[in-house]
Amino acid sequence: MALQSLGALIDSSWEQYRKEFPTLIRLSAWLLVVAAINIVAIGFYPVDAYRVVRPLTGLEMFGLALFVFNNVAIGIIMVVWTTNMLIAGVDKMTGGAAANMKEIANRGWNTFIPQLVAFIYTGASITISVLIPLLLIKLFTETLAPSLPVLMSLTILLILMLLLIPSIAVVFMLAFVPFAVVVDDKRGFDALKTSWLAVKANFWQVFIRLAVPKILYFGILFLAQYFIINVVQLVLLGTTDEGSGTYTRLSTYFQAASYLALVVFVNPLSIITDYHIWKSIKQ
């Protein structure tokens, strides 16, 4: 299947998002579980805990522990499961089948462990690709650079920094690993290989179709969040003192929840776009 033009890709993704909006939001809204638990956790510990010199109380320690556990463990579980469900749901709806929420949820759980393993492999691959040039830069600046002429030192440093470009390429090469797991039942390194080979054959076309929509979608998200947070802060300033604990806590509550709430709306659109790219490039 030929790749759609960038404009056609965005238009078709938006039309599917608009058509299937209620179902997509029901799936994506599970991310709000993380936001809800964060709000509960923030309610237990001081919002300026890093400044507190006294020992924390038992409830404050519970709040801190809950916050960390939620974002490290529960957050990962919800992100992986929600991603699986959205991919499975988009795959089913694109094929013309009616969305069965129970079936989609089960498919999300059935691919949870394979997806988690693939996430770990993908994260490790990207981390290694970034660390190698960074370690070379650190080694050069701490050993050879001080003994070389300034111009030569800067030239070598620039060359070493260019080694970070392949790290960015790795991110794009492995962008479709989640789709290989859910849609094509690939497992482990086979999922990484499948994504890598599919993107390799169409790298620059895929690069543009991945980058531009995400800049557009998440640019709108951050602008919306910036606007909403500023409006809320103006409201809070009209009802509370800026330096008060009430203002700080309410502001923290809202900031903790607003980003995830907006992601709930943007994430399905991003996955629809990536799904259509994947269906076009996979061999």
Side-chain angles (χ1 to χ4, degrees):
M1 185 187 300
L3 279 163
Q4 292 177 291
S5 68
L6 182 60
L9 174 66
I10 294 174
D11 286 344
S12 62
S13 298
W14 172 255
E15 283 303 310
Q16 184 172 358
Y17 175 77
R18 186 180 58 81
K19 179 181 176 182
E20 308 291 350
F21 181 79
T23 301
L24 292 168
I25 295 303
R26 285 174 65 191
L27 296 172
S28 188
W30 282 99
L31 288 174
L32 293 178
V33 170
V34 179
I37 296 175
N38 275 344
I39 288 174
V40 172
I42 292 170
F44 281 105
Y45 71 84
V47 290
D48 57 346
Y50 63 94
R51 296 178 181 174
V52 174
V53 294
R54 62 170 175 77
L56 297 178
T57 66
L59 284 177
E60 289 170 345
M61 287 297 295
F62 169 77
L64 282 171
L66 179 61
F67 184 84
V68 172
F69 178 75
N70 180 47
N71 288 277
V72 172
I74 298 176
I76 292 174
I77 291 171
M78 297 309 298
V79 166
V80 173
W81 182 48
T82 304
T83 299
N84 287 352
M85 287 196 298
L86 283 169
I87 294 173
V90 170
D91 184 44
K92 196 170 186 64
M93 290 180 282
T94 301
N100 183 308
M101 300 300 291
K102 183 177 180 180
E103 181 183 336
I104 292 172
N106 287 337
R107 190 172 171 189
W109 282 123
N110 291 338
T111 53
F112 177 82
I113 296 300
Q115 191 71 273
L116 181 61
V117 172
F119 273 16
I120 293 171
Y121 288 167
T122 301
S125 300
I126 294 171
T127 300
I128 291 171
S129 72
V130 172
L131 282 179
I132 290 175
L134 288 180
L135 288 174
L136 289 174
I137 291 171
K138 180 178 175 62
L139 181 64
F140 173 74
T141 55
E142 293 182 354
T143 56
L144 295 176
S147 61
L148 295 175
V150 174
L151 184 59
M152 181 182 294
S153 179
L154 290 175
T155 302
I156 296 174
L157 183 61
L158 177 61
I159 293 172
L160 290 174
M161 291 179 66
L162 290 176
L163 293 177
L164 289 169
I165 294 177
S167 304
I168 299 172
V170 170
V171 174
F172 286 88
M173 299 292 279
L174 301 179
F176 298 100
V177 170
F179 297 87
V181 172
V182 177
V183 178
D184 300 290
D185 294 321
K186 301 296 183 180
R187 298 293 181 261
F189 284 109
D190 196 25
L192 276 68
K193 181 181 178 182
T194 301
S195 176
W196 186 282
L197 292 176
V199 176
K200 181 181 178 181
N202 309 272
F203 180 79
W204 288 111
Q205 294 182 64
V206 173
F207 177 87
I208 292 171
R209 286 162 177 79
L210 277 174
V212 174
K214 282 181 174 51
I215 292 172
L216 174 64
Y217 301 158
F218 287 93
I220 293 173
L221 182 149
F222 288 124
L223 284 175
Q225 186 189 28
Y226 177 80
F227 174 77
I228 293 170
I229 285 178
N230 276 277
V231 170
V232 170
Q233 286 180 339
L234 286 174
V235 173
L236 291 176
L237 285 172
T239 55
T240 61
D241 295 328
E242 184 175 1
S244 69
T246 301
Y247 172 86
T248 304
R249 188 168 296 278
L250 289 175
S251 180
T252 305
Y253 276 153
F254 191 82
Q255 290 184 35
S258 61
Y259 177 75
L260 267 180
L262 290 170
V263 166
V264 165
F265 290 95
V266 174
N267 200 34
L269 180 57
S270 178
I271 285 180
I272 290 171
T273 305
D274 291 353
Y275 174 85
H276 286 300
I277 300 172
W278 174 243
K279 294 293 284 187
S280 298
I281 65 172
K282 70 174 183 176
Q283 299 174 350

